[in-house]
Amino acid sequence: MSAYRRPSAVRPTLSRRGFLGMVGAAGAAVALGACGRDSTGQTAQLLPSRASLPKPYAVRLPIPPVKKPLRSDATTDYYEVVQKVADARILPGLRTPILGYDGIFPGPTLVSRSGRRIVVRHRNELPVPTVVHLHGGHTPASSDGYPIDLLLPSAGWSPGASHASTGHGAAMMTGDVAKGQRDYTYPLDQRAATLWYHDHRMDFTAPQVYRGLAGFHLVHDDEEAALPLPQGERDIPLMICDRAFEHDGSFRYPSLDRELRSTPGVDADFMEGVLGDVILVNGAPWPELEVDAARYRFRILNASNARRYQFALRTGDSTSVPFVQVGGDGGLLERSVELQSVVAAPAERFDVVVDFSGYRPGTVVTMTNQLGSGPTARVMRFRVTRKVRDDSRVPDRLSTIERLDPAKAVRTREWRFARGVINEGHKGWTINGKPFDPRRMDARPKLGDIEIWRFTADLHHPVHIHLDPFQVLRRGNHSPGDSESGWKDTVDLRPTETVEVAVRFTDYRGAFMLHCHNLEHEDMAMMASFATV
Ligand SMILES: [Cu+2]
């Protein structure tokens, strides 16, 4: 039996979307842009809520709590996170069952210092296996969350019969499997940056992140601390994602296997990705944040499964308010960049400063999504409440970034991201024509070497590399924009585009991943492994 079979309840052999996909990437992208709400700039399909949508700006922006260590010694801080089922209050009057780190969504924020090791013990009290990946972490393979290094539920677990009987299921149990609890060790020998942790379980990442398994992990360092950027209560993480809801308030998601036990994948109509119609910021629908008339640093994370955004800020009279970008996935940029809008693919981070100091108390500034329509064109809003003294500023120069010289690259590797046949004739997503197989290594880069990796895409694919960040060299025939001039770990590939990056792996030997971070694509096999040697 195929692990990726279509639902038996009749799907035409070629769905409309499937057919469009075969016309050719460029044609499909244009056609999708024209064929209905929310398809602009996306490779994904809208799943509308069955619950009535909440009123925008009716709730305050929640800030996830900062996790405290259980104990600390000379070298290490020790944490414990319990993964459990809980009810969240997202829609008025309804409960939303979530899978949550410490039972909350987003999970607690971890705050670390560069170079200081931490150990996070995760206990799995969920009914499903999990894998924890620290996205953006420079982490040894044993703690990086390879997708078959499962953490099984403490209450016990056995895969469904269909899964165990496939080659796929067998491969699954060849990982480093732990039961009940696992210690993840993070040396955090890396620059200050906005990282996040999320589930990475093979075949089931998309539904498990969708149900809540994601949280921030901020790393600070001396270089960042010496800058006069906004800090403390004016340094705020914003986890932005879209969700759909059932009548009863539960998350709506088109899993083939609602129990997330054995059959991976989604209803064939959604294989390009799932878009919800409610935009959550830190788990709240279209929230409002009261701000002082001062500068704020916002760490924007697109934690959506598949949705791309183009964020912009507008006052009530439609005046544009700029973002001043100070950082990206891999930390501070060399110089700040003023942007009228920020385009964010899944898993990308943008550290921006917004200056509210010129606005009178009472002014409302709305964050919009220019790639959305109707409810998804709104994100959140800010209400200026009072004049204050503010000593923060954005200096001209933020950091020094070592350039990876492409002339010193020892080789170029090609990675083609495209729809393809993945399992007994069924469609999914492939890299270089192949579906993910955790036992196959597709590259063996040497630690310390600079390599050029050339990515090409049929549709939108946000490409993420584990272990070390990279530098974007070329996007199509152009140099990358200032916004992606720093260290990145995820790059937004658009239909038919080629992007070249320079990458250098360091410190840790072992098996790591590169994959598409459209989580539906990832679950439908768009991952590859490499072994550092
Ligand atoms: Cu993809």
Side-chain angles (χ1 to χ4, degrees):
M1 177 185 300
S2 162
Y4 295 104
R5 73 179 196 277
R6 286 169 178 282
S8 48
V10 230
R11 291 269 153 234
T13 314
L14 287 176
S15 69
R16 181 176 56 84
R17 306 272 304 174
F19 176 72
L20 285 172
M22 293 176 67
V23 170
V30 171
L32 296 182
C35 81
R37 60 197 282 254
D38 260 336
S39 42
T40 310
Q42 318 286 337
T43 296
Q45 180 71 4
L46 182 70
L47 180 66
S49 290
R50 288 176 170 143
S52 47
L53 302 190
K55 250 179 61 191
Y57 319 126
V59 293
R60 287 181 163 214
L61 175 77
I63 310 284
V66 172
K67 186 81 180 168
K68 292 193 177 62
L70 285 181
R71 64 191 172 90
S72 296
D73 61 26
T75 59
T76 309
D77 299 320
Y78 300 86
Y79 293 88
E80 182 173 282
V81 172
V82 181
Q83 306 172 359
K84 55 188 177 188
V85 174
D87 281 337
R89 302 281 190 153
I90 300 174
L91 303 182
L94 295 173
R95 291 168 191 273
T96 305
I98 62 160
L99 313 181
Y101 296 116
D102 282 351
I104 57 175
F105 167 57
T109 299
L110 278 82
V111 178
S112 298
R113 196 80 186 174
S114 172
R116 183 163 169 86
R117 194 169 82 116
I118 72 163
V119 175
V120 185
R121 172 165 296 175
H122 277 268
R123 289 205 286 126
N124 182 355
E125 295 183 357
L126 299 169
V128 292
T130 60
V131 171
V132 181
H133 171 58
L134 176 57
H135 185 124
H138 183 54
T139 306
S142 55
S143 286
D144 192 54
Y146 197 68
I148 56 172
D149 290 350
L150 302 176
L151 173 54
L152 302 180
S154 53
W157 188 78
S158 62
S162 66
H163 207 44
S165 64
T166 62
H168 206 64
M172 189 86 76
M173 300 313 282
T174 62
D176 174 14
V177 176
K179 187 185 165 194
Q181 67 182 42
R182 177 192 290 277
D183 289 349
Y184 291 88
T185 299
Y186 302 114
L188 297 173
D189 212 346
Q190 57 186 104
R191 308 173 79 222
T194 302
L195 316 184
W196 61 303
Y197 61 104
H198 62 76
D199 193 66
H200 215 303
R201 176 189 168 197
M202 181 153 157
D203 296 340
F204 294 95
T205 294
Q208 296 194 173
V209 171
Y210 194 92
R211 292 195 196 182
L213 291 174
F216 279 104
H217 189 147
L218 311 182
V219 179
H220 296 300
D221 67 10
D222 294 344
E223 178 186 51
E224 179 199 40
L227 295 175
L229 295 172
Q231 51 179 303
E233 291 190 341
R234 296 192 192 136
D235 176 357
I236 296 178
L238 300 176
M239 179 187 287
I240 300 173
C241 60
D242 57 337
R243 295 290 186 268
F245 293 86
E246 299 286 0
H247 288 298
D248 62 2
S250 60
F251 286 130
R252 185 172 187 214
Y253 188 83
S255 287
L256 296 182
D257 177 355
R258 304 287 150 135
E259 302 297 313
L260 309 183
R261 294 186 64 79
S262 53
T263 307
V266 290
D267 184 311
D269 282 352
F270 294 92
M271 73 168 283
E272 291 191 346
V274 176
L275 302 175
D277 54 5
V278 177
I279 307 297
L280 304 179
V281 187
N282 294 346
W286 304 294
E288 181 179 271
L289 175 67
E290 293 189 343
V291 292
D292 297 335
R295 288 180 196 81
Y296 280 74
R297 177 177 181 178
F298 296 113
R299 300 164 181 267
I300 297 173
L301 158 65
N302 179 359
S304 306
N305 280 27
R307 182 178 288 279
R308 295 171 76 247
Y309 299 82
Q310 183 167 2
F311 301 115
L313 297 170
R314 295 275 182 280
T315 61
D317 61 6
S318 284
T319 310
S320 172
V321 178
F323 297 101
V324 177
Q325 190 190 353
V326 296
D329 305 339
L332 293 168
L333 304 179
E334 283 202 320
R335 292 175 183 283
S336 64
V337 186
E338 184 170 307
L339 301 168
Q340 295 308 315
S341 67
V342 167
V343 176
E348 284 190 299
R349 284 89 74 212
F350 294 85
D351 280 17
V352 298
V353 172
V354 177
D355 186 357
F356 297 106
S357 66
Y359 299 102
R360 281 196 308 278
T363 304
V364 166
V365 176
T366 303
M367 188 192 284
T368 62
N369 169 27
Q370 297 175 330
L371 295 180
S373 61
T376 62
R378 297 187 285 256
V379 179
M380 66 176 291
R381 79 181 182 190
F382 305 93
R383 178 180 293 278
V384 180
T385 57
R386 57 181 185 133
K387 289 275 178 206
V388 291
R389 182 193 154 98
D390 177 15
D391 295 327
S392 75
R393 62 189 177 84
V394 180
D396 285 346
R397 195 169 183 85
L398 298 161
S399 180
T400 302
I401 291 177
E402 178 205 355
R403 290 287 143 200
L404 296 183
D405 181 358
K408 293 189 178 141
V410 300
R411 68 181 65 74
T412 298
R413 297 184 200 269
E414 307 271 352
W415 303 98
R416 278 179 295 109
F417 290 76
R419 190 192 302 266
V421 172
I422 60 168
N423 191 317
E424 298 171 19
H426 295 288
K427 277 192 300 183
W429 300 94
T430 62
I431 301 176
N432 290 342
K434 289 180 255 184
F436 180 59
D437 178 341
R439 294 163 296 191
R440 189 190 72 232
M441 295 294 134
D442 289 320
R444 294 184 184 275
K446 233 176 99 195
L447 293 180
D449 279 355
I450 295 174
E451 299 197 352
I452 292 173
W453 285 18
R454 182 181 294 140
F455 303 127
T456 56
D458 58 347
L459 295 166
H460 292 92
H461 299 293
V463 173
H464 172 46
I465 304 179
H466 288 210
L467 182 58
D468 274 286
F470 53 77
Q471 293 173 355
V472 181
L473 301 172
R474 233 160 48 84
R475 179 177 279 286
N477 293 320
H478 302 96
S479 303
D482 292 338
S483 180
E484 43 186 22
S485 63
W487 291 103
K488 296 274 298 164
D489 59 45
T490 307
V491 64
D492 180 24
L493 286 180
R494 295 168 301 194
T496 74
E497 201 167 43
T498 298
V499 170
E500 280 184 7
V501 306
V503 65
R504 178 187 57 197
F505 299 104
T506 55
D507 295 325
Y508 306 120
R509 287 194 175 80
F512 296 92
M513 316 287 308
L514 80 152
H515 62 86
C516 180
H517 220 287
N518 174 319
L519 298 183
E520 282 76 32
H521 297 189
E522 173 177 337
D523 280 352
M524 296 174 82
M526 199 172 237
M527 297 200 286
S529 301
F530 61 90
T532 48
V533 296

